[in-house]
Amino acid sequence: MANAHEIIQRMREIQAAREAAFEPLAEILGQRQELQRQLALLDEPYGKAYADAEAAGWTSEELTAIGCEEPEKRPKGRPRRRAAARKTGTEAPSSGPSTAPSAATLPAQEGAGADEAATTAAASS
């Protein structure tokens, strides 16, 4: 049976092997964090450059096709081109069914109740 000194020595050997295995991970982790910090610093200028390219006529589909990823952060005060087109109504109207409410769903105007009742009574006679 091993004495306390041998057990502690074995524990230290195991711990040293674990620490040695962790050292490359710690080094890579530090490098990774630095690269992520540098990438975060590029988010804003990349978003501005992407928005400038769109303003110059490039579509997001074209930019994606040539390898540009859509930025996570866009410059403030510069809406996306598609959203601006929707708000100004420059997109072509859809050819689908009309979404306008029918006359049956429209509320009656003030004073129209008496006229409607008379028209309905005349039509049913």
Side-chain angles (χ1 to χ4, degrees), residues 35-111:
L35 290 172
Q36 287 175 332
R37 185 191 67 75
Q38 291 176 10
L39 184 60
L41 291 174
L42 291 175
D43 281 346
E44 186 178 337
Y46 180 76
K48 183 184 179 329
Y50 191 95
D52 289 346
E54 285 182 318
W58 289 90
T59 66
S60 60
E61 291 80 17
E62 290 171 327
L63 292 170
T64 300
I66 59 175
C68 300
E69 294 179 8
E70 192 162 343
E72 293 186 22
K73 295 181 180 180
R74 290 184 167 267
K76 292 183 180 181
R78 196 142 192 193
R80 295 177 67 176
R81 190 173 186 97
R82 283 180 269 150
R86 247 183 257 125
K87 289 180 183 177
T88 61
T90 58
E91 289 186 339
S94 69
S95 60
S98 173
T99 58
S102 67
T105 61
L106 293 176
Q109 293 182 351
E110 188 175 322

